Amino acid sequence: MPDFPECCDPVELLDLSGRKGLVIGIANERSLAWPAALHFRQAGAQLAITYVNERTKTHVTPLAARLEAPIVLPCDVKAPQELNAVFDAIAERWGKLDFLLHAVGSVPPADLHGRLTDCSAEGFSEAMAVSVHSLIHMTRLAEPLMTGGGSVITLSYLGGERVVENYNVMGPVKAALEATVRYLAHELGPSNIRVNAISAGPVLTRAASGLTGISSLLEATARAAPLRRNIVADEVGRTALLFASDYTSGITGGVLHVDAGVHIESPVFSTQMSVKSEDSR
């Protein structure tokens, strides 16, 4: 197996040898999907990797090469034919799929930065289509390939459970995503296909950088979290590896918080974000 010294132990304790996985959502090395892909590969899995468009292709293809991915294809989830083509390629090359990581989301900036009250119908529909319905579509395509069972993993955030300042329209969208996880788990359980979400704490990814006040949110989260810190992306990657493995074979329909424990504390509002770190000592 390849060695990824920046994140992985040379010998992963969890073995995915012989398994095939699809990772949708790598945009660059800061994407939460990237450390997950490193762990999947280090554990022995073969991966199919996608990129959204020609602009992101230049960032993704070198990463796919590091992963030795035999399938690297464009996939804008708003274009159903591209998603279908990815699964057709998997069916032709491998004839099966063991796990799927869904790590995509999109909303027009005007709707993200504005109040939920003022969100446009078009912006709300786009956010729901990319973040939620794409998971449904992928799962429908994955089901016939997961003949021996499988694992579907998606990424959520605390803003789907509680109000988080400036998360705005993405709060209801993530709530819908988590409800979708439960319903998919219910429907696919008889086929031994597990569906789970990782509710990740804030990490300064490309997507998160578009949120208003992200620096203040990171500071406030580190103060409020029981572990008194923010998470790192690799902690999400290791959890994704766990969900892809047999060590979570009895877990489905769940939302696992990987957020240094901040979900058990009070909501983080703008008034808390403005407090200087010295004031919390």
Side-chain angles (χ1 to χ4, degrees), residues 19-20 96-100 139 142-143 145-153 185 188-196 243-246 248-252:
R19 302 200 185 182
K20 317 297 184 186
K96 70 165 190 170
L97 187 67
D98 297 294
F99 62 91
L100 158 66
T139 303
E143 183 180 14
L145 294 171
M146 293 183 169
T147 54
S151 177
V152 177
I153 310 154
L188 300 178
S191 298
N192 196 31
I193 298 173
R194 297 175 288 115
V195 187
N196 291 286
F243 273 132
S245 77
D246 291 338
T248 51
S249 59
I251 301 175
T252 194

Side-chain angles (χ1 to χ4, degrees), residues 90-119:
I90 290 172
E92 181 177 352
R93 186 177 185 98
W94 291 333
K96 70 165 190 170
L97 187 67
D98 297 294
F99 62 91
L100 158 66
L101 175 62
H102 168 276
V104 294
S106 176
V107 59
D111 294 295
L112 176 62
H113 297 149
R115 301 187 308 165
L116 173 62
T117 308
D118 301 320
C119 179

Side-chain angles (χ1 to χ4, degrees), residues 25-272:
I26 298 176
N28 54 38
E29 290 180 326
R30 292 169 58 192
S31 302
L32 288 179
W34 172 239
L38 291 174
H39 281 288
F40 295 151
R41 182 70 188 116
Q42 182 71 63
Q46 281 195 304
L47 300 176
I49 304 296
T50 70
Y51 54 89
V52 176
N53 50 37
E54 289 300 312
R55 181 171 56 86
T56 60
K57 181 180 180 180
T58 60
H59 299 286
V60 176
T61 49
L63 302 181
R66 287 196 63 197
L67 298 168
E68 303 171 326
I71 300 172
V72 184
L73 291 170
C75 184
D76 181 345
V77 298
K78 292 182 288 186
Q81 69 276 11
E82 292 190 4
L83 196 55
N84 292 339
V86 170
F87 281 86
D88 287 343
I90 290 172
E92 181 177 352
R93 186 177 185 98
W94 291 333
K96 70 165 190 170
L97 187 67
D98 297 294
F99 62 91
L100 158 66
L101 175 62
H102 168 276
V104 294
S106 176
V107 59
D111 294 295
L112 176 62
H113 297 149
R115 301 187 308 165
L116 173 62
T117 308
D118 301 320
C119 179
S120 69
E122 295 77 14
F124 189 81
S125 296
E126 178 179 330
M128 287 291 288
V130 175
S131 299
V132 183
H133 190 266
S134 66
L135 176 65
I136 297 171
H137 189 179
M138 289 179 204
T139 303
R140 181 166 68 248
L141 295 172
E143 183 180 14
L145 294 171
M146 293 183 169
T147 54
S151 177
V152 177
I153 310 154
T154 189
L155 299 184
S156 190
Y157 175 58
L158 184 61
E161 301 173 44
R162 300 181 178 187
V163 172
V164 175
E165 197 79 12
N166 298 320
Y167 203 53
N168 304 334
V169 65
M170 288 305 296
V173 170
K174 290 298 187 183
L177 179 67
E178 293 180 10
T180 298
V181 164
R182 291 188 286 273
Y183 277 84
L184 291 174
H186 168 75
E187 293 177 356
L188 300 178
S191 298
N192 196 31
I193 298 173
R194 297 175 288 115
V195 187
N196 291 286
I198 299 170
S199 183
V203 177
L204 196 56
T205 61
R206 177 172 171 268
S209 65
L211 291 174
T212 302
I214 182 62
S215 296
S216 296
L217 176 61
L218 287 165
E219 292 172 7
T221 300
R223 288 196 302 271
L227 294 181
R228 296 298 186 265
R229 65 173 177 84
N230 286 296
I231 65 163
V232 295
D234 192 55
E235 291 173 306
V236 178
R238 293 197 297 269
T239 305
L241 172 62
L242 189 67
F243 273 132
S245 77
D246 291 338
Y247 281 80
T248 51
S249 59
I251 301 175
T252 194
V255 178
L256 181 58
H257 294 86
V258 182
D259 61 2
V262 75
H263 68 281
I264 69 171
E265 304 291 351
S266 299
V268 177
F269 291 109
S270 57
T271 51
Q272 294 168 280

